[in-house]
Amino acid sequence: MARIQGSWWRNIALMATFIFPLVGANSAVAEPTHGIAMHGEPKYSAGFSHFDYVNPKAPVGGSFKQASRGTFDSFNPFIVKGTPADGVGLIYDTLMIGSADEPFSRYGLVAQQIEVAADFSEVTFYLNPAARFHDGQAITAKDIAFSYEILTTQGAPHYRSYYAGVEKTEIMDERTIKFIFKPGENRELPLIIGEMPVLPAHYWQDKQFDRSSLAIPVGSGPYKIASFDAGRKVVYQRDEKYWAKDLNVRVGHNNFSRMQYEYFRDTTVAFQAFKAGVYDYHQEYSAKSWATAYHGSVFDQNKILREKVADANPQGMQGFFFNLRRDKFQDPRVRQAIATMFDFEWLNRQLFYSQYTRSNSFFANSELAANALPSEQELAILAPYRSQLPASVFEQEYQPSHTQGDGNIRPQMRQAVALFEAAGYQLKNSKMLDKDGKPLFFEFLVYDKSFERVIQPYRKNLSRIGIETVISLVDISQYINRLNSFDFDLVTMRLGQSNSPGNEQHMFWSCDSAKSPGSRNYAGICDPTIDALIEQVISAQSREQLVVQTKALDRVLQHGHFVVPQWYSPSHRIAYWDKFERPDIRPAYSIGTNTWWAKPKQEHP
């Protein structure tokens, strides 16, 4: 039941993953290298044969079928318009690629080498001469320059945020391109550029990039789009002529001949289809289903296997995000009062079989999370902004409202009413009235009907202090459009985080992103102090600095009461038909399904 809404974004996340590293702080001489790490040297040295967590002799063949929610109407995941098909990232390569057993390293893919200036003022990429698009045309520096230009001018807003530190590009020769940065030491930016998807200039030259379309685009990745049924199914076929299939960073990956996504509008229907063998792999987001629905002959006979896979990544924040663009949510005391009425402990016991942990940080489950009182190092960072910050930032450890889980919320009711009164409201005739006598009312926006059972108890609690609410259930297309235009009051969202926070924090919390339709600053946060703290995170000179500066940012976000924190699970819940084999070593930062392979003789139900 604890489904994380907003999973539609994962296609774009494939194109611009948030796990961005920093260049080694000790780099002194600029010279081309095969890979770079956040600190020191990357794990894998030049000339390595393959990553440790793959089977380099994995057979190729078979299919891997997954389920998707909702629908799709586009194969362009780089723009705001449209709903992109799941898996479309499979058709694209990037300049560099990360390993899944290191949090902060990147290695050459389209760019076989990278050269970072000692003062981080520029980065040069040397392209692999073998790199090709699916139509056989060579990937050149012109394509890299085109990709940067089209993404920053016509792509989704987050690309402009990612690449905001770039001053200009210079094509040095056919296979060499340089990115020159604006003043300021942005140690993360070289790797952000390295994660840029590579788009073919020749394909897009006579097409409209910023319009959603089901025209099959030209890519350069390990798969091509083989077929699709608009809004219902998309099938990707492994490209046997893929230029990088024998490259060390690709060995042991992409072992299935076909990757298939079946679309369902209802979670229950999808799960029944999974048990019937319509698709092969299911990731479970419902604690109730995990506890009660996995029974029957297919499970008793081990035809379907299930397991929990530990997740070493920071969990970020999942919660009800307030839209501060609405006047009624401008006062942090109002937001805190509303959050106080959320009884997580009761929900966890009654609905989730006590499987979840309460979110209390925007970097939960990591060393980046602010806890206890601020350290001396944090205080030194926060001191210049003391007059702009609430006293609680310095004096209190942030903790969401806590109940006994027995349904008794009278202490929370008293606390919430006191906060409302301090903000100028009064509870009169069972209505929470603002200073103008207008009742407080707001909407929960959802696209998954099953989430209503989480919201309904919360609504009941809110009604006890005179707050009227409504649930608006819309289809996925309406949901995306309303998110992109910030047309909502409260919405459930999860903002995942990486082990190396950096430029993406602009997109989450900055004033610029608050004003950019389609950005991921859902809350509409615009605070000069937060903007300044983001810059300090980005300019961290060491891992130690990054941790303390991220904690300072986290602490300010916590005490801003921008969300009603929900929950997280430190593990993935997965189930799959017994049709697959996988390497002995699982990567620490991924489930690793892209390293699995089909058993020689697949067993079909």
Side-chain angles (χ1 to χ4, degrees):
M1 185 42 259
R3 183 177 178 83
I4 298 170
Q5 298 197 41
S7 59
W8 56 272
W9 192 272
R10 61 181 172 267
N11 291 310
I12 292 179
L14 283 170
M15 297 295 96
T17 178
F18 298 148
I19 306 179
F20 293 133
L22 303 177
V23 180
N26 296 325
S27 298
V29 179
E31 60 182 24
T33 181
H34 72 294
I36 50 181
M38 177 178 176
H39 298 119
E41 298 298 322
K43 173 181 177 179
Y44 297 94
S45 58
F48 72 96
S49 59
H50 56 81
F51 294 131
D52 290 345
Y53 53 85
V54 305
N55 175 8
K57 298 181 180 179
V60 173
S63 64
F64 189 87
K65 300 177 183 178
Q66 303 178 64
S68 296
R69 281 295 313 277
T71 185
F72 70 92
D73 59 11
S74 176
F75 289 128
N76 186 347
F78 308 111
I79 60 175
V80 170
K81 296 179 181 177
T83 305
D86 278 357
V88 72
L90 295 167
I91 73 173
Y92 291 102
D93 273 336
T94 51
L95 284 166
M96 304 188 78
I97 193 169
S99 68
D101 59 351
E102 300 172 89
F104 317 124
S105 296
R106 289 297 182 268
Y107 299 89
L109 182 56
V110 171
Q112 64 181 359
Q113 288 190 309
I114 179 174
E115 181 178 348
V116 182
D119 61 358
F120 301 94
S121 62
E122 61 186 38
V123 61
T124 303
F125 294 98
Y126 301 89
L127 306 189
N128 192 318
R132 294 289 186 277
F133 291 108
H134 290 151
D135 59 6
Q137 290 208 29
I139 299 177
T140 68
K142 177 183 176 182
D143 296 301
I144 309 306
F146 167 80
S147 300
Y148 165 76
E149 180 66 23
I150 201 74
L151 290 172
T152 54
T153 58
Q154 299 185 42
H158 68 272
Y159 289 111
R160 288 187 286 280
S161 296
Y162 289 160
Y163 310 143
V166 175
E167 180 71 42
K168 61 180 179 178
T169 62
E170 287 186 3
I171 295 176
M172 312 304 290
D173 59 42
E174 188 178 36
R175 291 199 295 268
T176 309
I177 184 169
K178 179 182 294 185
F179 287 79
I180 299 173
F181 302 150
K182 297 174 182 176
E185 189 174 299
N186 188 330
R187 305 169 73 85
E188 186 184 34
L189 194 52
L191 271 298
I192 293 177
I193 303 299
E195 286 295 328
M196 186 172 64
V198 177
L199 306 175
H202 65 277
Y203 172 80
W204 288 105
Q205 63 183 355
D206 59 352
K207 298 176 178 64
Q208 191 166 342
F209 184 79
D210 60 356
R211 176 178 297 175
S212 63
S213 170
L214 286 173
I216 296 178
V218 172
S220 60
Y223 289 87
K224 297 179 178 180
I225 299 173
S227 63
F228 66 94
D229 183 356
R232 297 181 178 180
K233 180 173 72 174
V234 58
V235 179
Y236 301 92
Q237 184 72 33
R238 190 176 189 268
D239 182 9
E240 296 305 323
K241 296 181 180 179
Y242 175 45
W243 71 272
K245 66 179 179 179
D246 297 320
L247 202 64
N248 54 5
V249 296
R250 288 299 200 191
V251 168
H253 294 83
N254 309 308
N255 301 315
F256 297 102
S257 294
R258 292 177 306 283
M259 299 288 288
Q260 185 167 316
Y261 294 81
E262 298 277 351
Y263 275 79
F264 299 88
R265 294 183 183 272
D266 182 87
T267 304
T268 303
V269 173
F271 185 67
Q272 294 304 316
F274 170 61
K275 292 195 293 184
V278 174
Y279 62 97
D280 307 317
Y281 172 87
H282 184 78
Q283 188 164 354
E284 184 58 71
Y285 296 102
S286 167
K288 179 181 179 182
S289 293
W290 188 252
T292 65
Y294 287 74
H295 57 80
S297 60
V298 291
F299 300 102
D300 296 339
Q301 299 171 25
N302 291 325
K303 290 183 178 180
I304 293 180
L305 307 176
R306 66 173 187 153
E307 63 181 286
K308 284 188 175 182
V309 179
D311 185 1
N313 293 291
Q315 294 301 309
M317 172 60 77
Q318 180 177 317
F320 295 106
F321 278 65
F322 293 101
N323 185 358
L324 271 66
R325 302 169 187 86
R326 305 284 205 245
D327 288 341
K328 56 193 167 188
F329 298 135
Q330 282 292 309
D331 193 316
R333 294 168 295 189
V334 169
R335 302 193 297 268
Q336 184 180 0
I338 293 171
T340 298
M341 299 302 292
F342 184 66
D343 191 348
F344 164 76
E345 288 73 22
W346 184 89
L347 286 171
N348 198 31
R349 179 181 297 178
Q350 297 294 323
L351 302 184
F352 303 151
Y353 296 80
S354 299
Q355 293 186 43
Y356 290 113
T357 300
R358 185 76 189 271
S359 296
N360 64 354
S361 165
F362 290 83
F363 302 87
N365 196 44
S366 78
E367 65 174 338
L368 303 164
N371 47 47
L373 294 175
S375 65
E376 291 185 7
Q377 295 94 329
E378 286 181 74
L379 289 173
I381 294 169
L382 296 169
Y385 313 104
R386 183 179 285 271
S387 62
Q388 287 84 48
L389 294 172
S392 60
V393 169
F394 301 90
E395 300 170 358
Q396 300 175 18
E397 175 185 3
Y398 172 79
Q399 287 294 341
S401 176
H402 179 86
T403 72
Q404 298 302 312
D406 58 3
N408 178 16
I409 60 166
R410 290 188 179 278
Q412 287 70 33
M413 292 172 62
R414 288 192 292 269
Q415 181 183 354
V417 170
L419 285 165
F420 273 118
E421 290 176 347
Y425 283 76
Q426 62 174 325
L427 182 58
K428 185 176 181 180
N429 297 326
S430 299
K431 297 287 185 181
M432 186 61 70
L433 306 177
D434 66 13
K435 61 183 179 180
D436 298 321
K438 184 178 180 181
L440 178 58
F441 167 85
F442 57 84
E443 166 203 57
F444 292 92
L445 178 66
V446 299
Y447 72 85
D448 187 343
K449 183 175 177 60
S450 64
F451 210 78
E452 290 183 348
R453 74 190 189 103
V454 172
I455 300 175
Q456 291 292 11
Y458 188 24
R459 294 183 64 214
K460 182 179 179 181
N461 289 347
L462 290 167
S463 70
R464 295 175 68 178
I465 58 171
I467 300 174
E468 183 180 354
T469 61
V470 67
I471 298 175
S472 292
L473 178 65
V474 300
D475 63 35
I476 188 67
S477 296
Q478 288 178 287
Y479 180 80
I480 293 172
N481 289 335
R482 290 188 62 179
L483 281 184
N484 287 338
S485 60
F486 306 129
D487 180 19
F488 61 87
D489 288 337
L490 267 76
V491 65
T492 291
M493 193 59 61
R494 180 182 181 231
L495 287 182
Q497 292 285 358
S498 81
N499 283 287
S500 177
N503 282 30
E504 77 284 350
Q505 303 304 308
H506 276 302
M507 185 177 63
F508 294 160
W509 325 118
S510 74
C511 286
D512 284 345
S513 64
K515 303 167 186 174
S516 301
S519 81
R520 299 195 75 187
N521 188 345
Y522 302 114
I525 297 170
C526 181
D527 186 316
T529 297
I530 291 176
D531 279 5
L533 292 173
I534 291 171
E535 293 303 324
Q536 292 192 46
V537 169
I538 292 171
S539 62
Q541 300 294 304
S542 66
R543 178 66 186 178
E544 292 73 22
Q545 282 190 9
L546 179 66
V547 169
V548 71
Q549 287 163 352
T550 302
K551 285 185 174 183
L553 172 62
D554 186 34
R555 197 173 297 278
V556 173
L557 293 171
Q558 290 172 335
H559 289 270
H561 303 287
F562 301 117
V563 304
V564 181
Q566 292 179 356
W567 53 79
Y568 69 89
S569 172
S571 60
H572 304 284
R573 296 176 293 231
I574 65 171
Y576 50 92
W577 281 84
D578 188 18
K579 300 166 57 174
F580 310 114
E581 294 180 344
R582 51 186 172 176
D584 294 333
I585 300 174
R586 187 186 69 82
Y589 299 103
S590 169
I591 296 175
T593 53
N594 64 341
T595 67
W596 294 11
W597 62 92
K599 289 184 175 180
K601 293 183 180 180
Q602 293 192 28
E603 298 176 4
H604 294 278

